[in-house]
Every structure is written in structure tokens, then in C-alpha cells.
Amino acid sequence: MSARIIDGKAFAAGLRQRIAAEVTRLKQAAGFTPGLAVVLVGEDPASQVYVRSKGKATLEVGMASFEHKLDVGTTQEALLALVDKLNRDPAVHGILVQLPLPKHIDEARVLATIVPEKDVDGFHVVNAGKLATGAKDAIVPCTPLGSLMLLKDTLGDLAGKSAVVVGRSNIVGKPMAQLLLKESCTVTVAHSRTRDLPAVVRQADIVVAAVGRAEMVKGDWIKPGATVIDVGINRVTGPDGKARLVGDVDYESALPVAGAITPVPGGVGPMTIACLLANTLIAACRAKGLAEPTL
Ligand code: GUN
């Protein structure tokens, strides 16, 4: 037996098409264009790649893209002033400040300055709190949201299933656990200090790996038939000396055991940007008092 491979790239392409159709409809019916502002401080190569892809994807669905590239030496005051300006700009419906920020800038302070209604990353404590308490208007972080979409598409109803999230970051692990709990899963959050991690993972119907450690979750940790969502994106050098991307799951050993699995690349990765566009569209509709589309 070999696992069904969950095609995140195809799912994300479909989602982006539905978003594009909705943007076209909004332009015609309501006469406005949703807009996303992305702020990058410094020249981290990975962040530059992410910001470029976000800008391109935004334009491709017909939204307005506002890119702000700031020098690595930008002061915290200057960055906060820019966020404040974007908060007040009616053409901007979503704001994303690319992380990590340079060391001299207080990340929490910057994230707290974005108005929650425009926080399309879902990192503001108000949005984290809304997600935890089940408020309908929470903006949900993009990677966990995309992971949940793939899970529901693969499994249908998740109620009663046992889910293990490996990783407890604010960006993925914690919101993922909240989303699974909302779907009535029995949720365990495991992490680097968890005792006998393989045994904990082995009892899960759903495994979400988000630890940032290349190929850590092995095939013999996985319950036969389980659904595996691999959030990791790790650059490693293969035996041939060439760089390649791998997830947090050892794909080769997991493939014969799992019921379904996301590949890296082409699994969760493409969902993150598609969900960012979905969050921006929803934020724009709310700002205009329009009904939220079902995507
Ligand atoms: N850096 C890595 N992933 C993310 C993300 O999802 N949002 C932001 N703002 N920065 C990131």
C-alpha cells in the first residue's frame, strides 16, 4: 500500500481561481479592488523570495499589491509609522509584515500595532484570542488554515479523530491545535520536550508536523492509514551534493504507512499564499460591509 498524495498545489490553484472570480465580481458589483500591503525589512534571501511570490500571486487574482521594502537599518519608530499609515489607508485591506524582523525591532510590538481587521496573517493577539474562543470573525493564520482545508478535503468530517500536532509555535502549532479542536478532534500538542514522541504520534489519526526539523517524523512513528500533513520546509544537501527541499516528515518511510500525505514541495506550501489571498478578500468584504464569499 502506498499513501494517497495530497496535491496542495492543485487545491491552491483552484482556491486562487475562486478568489480571482470573486475579485472580478466585487470590482463589477461594488466598484472596489481588495488591496494587500506587504512590508519587508532587510534583505534576508528567503524572505525576499516569499515577498516576491506574495506580490505576484496578489496581482494574479486581480487584487492591488503594495510592496514596502525597507532598509535593514530602519528604526522601529519608522516601521511603526508605516504600519500606522497602512492601518489608515482605505485602499489597503490586508497588512503583512514579513518575519523575521531585524534584531533591533520588537516583533510583538509591530504585530500588535497592525489593526486586527487588517491582520491577514492572523498573528495579532485579538485574532489569536478570537480563534481560541470560537469567534466567527477571527482571522486565522494562513498555514494552519490551508492545512485544515487539505485535511477536510481528504477526510471530510474530522469529528472524533485523534490529532497530534508536533510543534507549538504561535504561527502554526498553536492555531492548528485550535482549528482541530474546533472540528471536534481530540488534540495533542507535542513538542521538543514531549516524552516518547514516536509513541504519541503513533496513536494519531491525523499528524501535523510543524517542528522545523528535517525528516524528523519517521514512517514507523505513524499509525497505518493515518493522514499526514507536513508543514516543514527544510533545505538540505543530498548525498549527490545538491540542495533540495524536504519536510519535517521522512517522506520515503512514511509513504508506505500513511493513508494520505502531503509532499514537500507541493503540499502545504502553496496553500499558505492562497489562504493569505483568501484572508485579504474576506477582510476587504468586511471593511466594505459586504457579505463574505464562501470559497
Ligand atoms: N515568515 C515566514 N512565514 C511567515 C508568514 O506566514 N507570515 C509572515 N508575516 N512572515 C513569515
Side-chain angles (χ1 to χ4, degrees), residues 55-234:
K56 188 165 162 270
T58 305
L59 295 173
E60 273 170 11
V61 295
M63 293 186 188
S65 169
F66 308 96
E67 275 185 34
H68 295 267
K69 293 184 179 161
L70 308 181
D71 189 81
V72 69
T74 299
T75 62
Q76 177 163 305
E77 288 64 36
L79 178 57
L80 292 176
L82 172 60
V83 170
D84 186 49
K85 188 165 143 245
L86 297 172
N87 280 341
R88 288 183 281 107
D89 185 341
V92 172
H93 305 99
I95 302 170
L96 180 148
V97 177
Q98 185 67 31
L99 305 178
L101 287 167
K103 294 272 178 288
H104 66 279
I105 294 177
D106 178 353
E107 211 159 87
R109 175 88 192 275
V110 174
L111 296 181
T113 303
I114 299 171
V115 287
E117 296 77 13
K118 294 190 180 187
D119 166 40
V120 284
D121 257 329
F123 294 167
H124 194 288
V125 288
V126 165
N127 282 314
K130 283 183 173 181
L131 174 61
T133 54
K136 287 211 165 42
D137 64 345
I139 301 183
V140 178
C142 305
T143 301
L145 180 60
S147 300
L148 184 74
M149 286 180 185
L150 294 180
L151 276 171
K152 286 169 94 168
D153 187 56
T154 304
L155 293 170
D157 185 14
L158 308 182
K161 294 193 185 297
S162 155
V164 171
V165 179
V166 190
R168 54 176 155 177
S169 68
N170 289 339
I171 293 181
V172 185
K174 285 179 199 160
M176 188 75 235
Q178 295 292 354
L179 285 173
L180 291 165
L181 194 55
K182 221 165 101 195
E183 296 297 323
S184 301
C185 291
T186 303
V187 183
T188 303
V189 182
H191 45 78
S192 56
R193 303 289 294 272
T194 296
R195 263 187 236 147
D196 200 358
L197 183 58
V200 172
V201 173
R202 215 170 277 131
Q203 46 89 27
D205 303 315
I206 294 168
V207 180
V208 180
V211 265
R213 300 238 325 247
E215 299 177 319
M216 188 179 93
V217 177
K218 307 296 179 196
D220 65 1
W221 297 19
I222 291 164
K223 175 156 103 176
T227 302
V228 179
I229 302 292
D230 190 350
V231 176
I233 302 177
N234 309 286

